[in-house]
């Protein structure tokens, strides 16, 4: 467990000092995510606090970026779920290199990750799927993510067919897990924390991989400051 009280980042707009940046990135990462979730909950937009931008490249090397939700966060890295037939999944299968960004403009903070992805453990995916509302589980069956569809009515018809096949019984197991549903965890080689200052002389504290280990292992990282 991370001792979150041991990590005291500067307040929004006041930057980030080396004294507030531990020798491994996990504790600061957890503290910032927790602070953003708490702030979002107070304002009624908590899900936005865990929205990440995921960047991949296609077969020609052209970039793609889209929002995904941070669903799991461990010392190994942040993870998201997706349809394994989606464009992002196809691009990651061909090239597992990826980048993620968490950004909280109102808090003058963002975190960037660069690394390679690996599959999320099937048990975690199954448990998370069962935790979703019935409507969201039905939607996972109704939509073949990223594939073209004629119009909105065709999508709604697919949803109605799935809902009729698996009616809501109030049980988390009333809708089976689609075979095409999975997830990816980004194993970072770089983690960068950005903290804004009113002066414009913002802080960038970066962690670059120096060896094997998780985000909790000081020996796995080299910490350094970058100019804004």
């Amino acid at each position: 467990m991370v001792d979150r009280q041991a990590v005291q980042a500067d307040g929004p707009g006041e930057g980030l000092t080396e004294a507030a940046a531990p020798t491994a990135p996990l504790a600061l990462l957890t503290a910032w995510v927790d602070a953003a979730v708490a702030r979002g909950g107070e304002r009624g937009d908590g899900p936005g606090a865990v929205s990440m931008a995921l960047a991949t490249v296609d077969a020609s090397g052209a970039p793609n970026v889209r929002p995904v939700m941070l669903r799991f966060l461990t010392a190994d890295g942040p993870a998201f779920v997706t349809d394994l037939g989606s464009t992002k999944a196809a691009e990651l299968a061909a090239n597992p290199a990826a980048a993620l960004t968490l950004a909280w403009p109102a808090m003058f903070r963002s975190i960037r990750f660069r690394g390679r992805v690996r599959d999320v453990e099937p048990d975690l995916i199954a448990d998370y799927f069962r935790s979703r509302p019935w409507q969201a589980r039905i939607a996972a069956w109704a939509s073949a993510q990223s594939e073209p569809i004629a119009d909105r009515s065709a999508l709604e018809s697919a949803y109605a067919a799935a809902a009729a096949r698996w009616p809501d019984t109030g049980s988390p197991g009333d809708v089976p897990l689609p075979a095409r549903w999975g997830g990816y965890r980004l194993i970072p080689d770089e983690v960068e924390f950005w903290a804004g200052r009113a002066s414009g002389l913002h802080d960038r504290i970066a962690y670059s991989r120096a060896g094997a280990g998780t985000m909790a292992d000081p020996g796995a990282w080299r910490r350094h400051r970058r100019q804004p």
Side-chain angles (χ1 to χ4, degrees):
M1 294 292 291
V2 174
D3 181 4
R4 296 170 188 168
Q5 297 301 316
V7 179
Q8 297 295 328
D10 291 337
E14 298 178 359
L16 175 66
T17 64
E18 279 76 4
T23 52
L26 181 63
L28 185 57
L29 166 60
T30 304
W32 279 23
V33 169
D34 286 351
V37 169
R39 179 186 175 94
E42 292 170 0
R43 296 183 305 167
D45 61 352
V50 290
S51 177
M52 306 186 290
L54 166 69
T56 57
V57 295
D58 66 15
S60 69
N64 256 329
V65 65
R66 76 287 283 166
V68 296
M69 300 299 284
L70 173 63
R71 297 302 187 192
F72 313 104
L73 179 59
T74 69
D76 288 325
F80 59 93
V81 298
T82 189
D83 187 318
L84 298 179
S86 65
T87 297
K88 70 176 79 65
E91 291 176 352
L92 290 170
N95 182 352
L100 285 168
T101 299
L102 283 158
W104 307 289
M107 299 178 71
F108 299 90
R109 289 175 174 175
S110 68
I111 307 173
R112 298 193 307 121
F113 306 86
R114 298 176 71 214
R116 299 174 75 81
V117 300
R118 70 181 186 204
D119 293 344
V120 172
E121 298 83 346
D123 288 349
L124 281 180
I125 294 295
D127 288 346
Y128 174 70
F129 186 79
R130 286 191 291 266
S131 76
R132 288 166 64 87
W134 174 81
Q135 295 93 331
R137 286 177 279 138
I138 290 296
W141 279 94
S143 172
Q145 193 176 96
S146 301
E147 293 297 317
I149 194 166
D151 51 31
R152 175 74 192 187
S153 64
L155 187 61
E156 291 175 348
S157 293
Y159 182 92
R165 185 176 182 184
W166 297 292
D168 186 3
T169 67
S171 167
D174 54 13
V175 183
L177 176 70
R180 66 175 188 267
W181 224 64
Y184 298 95
R185 186 181 305 280
L186 188 140
I187 310 302
D189 290 320
E190 180 179 290
V191 184
E192 180 183 293
F193 294 83
W194 177 94
R197 291 179 183 262
S199 66
L201 201 62
H202 309 308
D203 293 303
R204 296 173 64 187
I205 302 292
Y207 295 79
S208 299
R209 185 169 291 281
T214 71
M215 290 192 293
D217 299 325
W221 301 94
R222 179 176 63 87
R223 188 190 69 185
H224 54 284
R225 174 176 288 270
R226 289 173 173 163
Q227 298 182 57

